[in-house]
Amino acid sequence: MPIPEDVSGFELDKDVQQELQSLPKGLAEDVAKNLVMVARLIDEDPEGAYGYSKVALRLASRVAAVREAGGFAAYANQQYSEALAEFRAARRMTGNVELWPVMADCERGLGRPEKALDMAGAPEVAKLDKAAQVEMRLVAAGARRDMGQLDAAIVTLQSPELASTSVQPWTARLRYAYADALLAAGREDEAREWFAKAVESDKDGSTDASDRLAELDGVEFVDAFDDDDDAGVASADSDSEGGRRLGDEDDDK
């Protein structure tokens, strides 16, 4: 697959570059460039990222970082069985547990929420850092919902991290998941409160909490201008991009 001229391979984290030093220099450069393309495309073009990950795997399947990248590319394309296999391989190579939450989420994707819950109670969870532990909690709550256990999902999300007033990288997603579970359980007033809290903490637009909050408040999303509006009027308000928009956030995976 073609590699843009602006990709050097040095964009990778230093630890990944170090892993690739076990390969011959030319091969290491080729693998690095393909890994850069995986990272560059995985959000906007997951199919493209998947293609580059396949090239990297063909070139260097014995490198843990390559297996991990292949796992995330497969995961982004909902190829959960393949993703789980790649994550397991990476874990065997490194002995690290940091992939434990996403491996559990793959089990959910494969229709095995019970297995995801087993993993949420495994000793490996105690070895995770705080961010990964929160991610594991989110996966466990999702598994409860998969099984129709809404009340249990709500209880699973109730934690010191949820109650904390400190805003951390995981705060918006945790509050959003809690609000969504409350809404699914018919607890609309509480859901509105927590969607509002999610909006407060969602500084980078990682969720669509503002849209969900607007829906609960009965706000309709309409263009400010009809198609037959005078072109001069539209030009005068070009900065509005067709009307006032309440929230740009993308929904979580």
Side-chain angles (χ1 to χ4, degrees), residues 199-226:
V199 171
E200 292 174 1
S201 57
D202 193 2
K203 305 304 182 185
D204 59 358
S206 63
T207 74
D208 66 346
S210 61
D211 289 350
R212 301 292 299 278
L213 184 60
E215 289 172 7
L216 287 173
D217 287 341
V219 176
E220 294 185 7
F221 295 84
V222 295
D223 286 340
F225 302 105
D226 294 329

Side-chain angles (χ1 to χ4, degrees), residues 17-18 22 31 33 73 80 88 104 140 180 204 236:
Q17 293 185 41
Q18 187 172 1
S22 63
V31 173
K33 290 178 180 180
Y80 297 117
R88 283 173 173 167
D180 192 51
D204 59 358

Side-chain angles (χ1 to χ4, degrees), residues 111-182:
R112 301 193 293 247
E114 298 88 351
K115 177 62 176 175
L117 287 176
D118 287 344
M119 293 179 68
E124 284 82 354
V125 176
K127 301 175 184 178
L128 298 171
D129 63 19
K130 179 61 69 176
Q133 287 182 358
V134 171
E135 193 66 33
M136 191 72 248
R137 188 176 293 276
L138 289 166
V139 173
R144 291 292 186 188
R145 292 189 64 172
D146 293 343
M147 298 166 67
Q149 300 174 0
L150 275 175
D151 289 341
I154 291 169
V155 171
T156 298
L157 293 168
Q158 292 171 346
S159 61
E161 293 80 18
L162 179 68
S164 175
T165 58
S166 173
V167 175
Q168 302 294 334
W170 59 77
T171 301
R173 293 182 61 237
L174 186 58
R175 291 176 175 179
Y176 182 96
Y178 189 58
D180 192 51
L182 289 168

Side-chain angles (χ1 to χ4, degrees), residues 44-62:
E44 301 298 329
D45 180 13
E47 288 188 11
Y50 184 69
Y52 283 103
S53 75
K54 284 296 190 182
V55 175
L57 283 165
R58 187 173 67 248
L59 295 174
S61 63
R62 295 184 179 181

Side-chain angles (χ1 to χ4, degrees), residues 72-147:
F72 277 111
Y75 180 81
N77 284 274
Q78 300 182 7
Q79 301 293 329
Y80 297 117
S81 181
E82 181 179 344
L84 186 57
E86 297 299 345
F87 290 142
R88 283 173 173 167
R91 183 166 180 265
R92 284 195 300 271
M93 292 174 179
T94 64
N96 294 335
V97 297
E98 60 188 18
L99 294 172
W100 198 251
V102 71
M103 290 168 63
D105 206 38
C106 286
E107 296 288 0
R108 285 186 61 212
L110 291 168
R112 301 193 293 247
E114 298 88 351
K115 177 62 176 175
L117 287 176
D118 287 344
M119 293 179 68
E124 284 82 354
V125 176
K127 301 175 184 178
L128 298 171
D129 63 19
K130 179 61 69 176
Q133 287 182 358
V134 171
E135 193 66 33
M136 191 72 248
R137 188 176 293 276
L138 289 166
V139 173
R144 291 292 186 188
R145 292 189 64 172
D146 293 343
M147 298 166 67

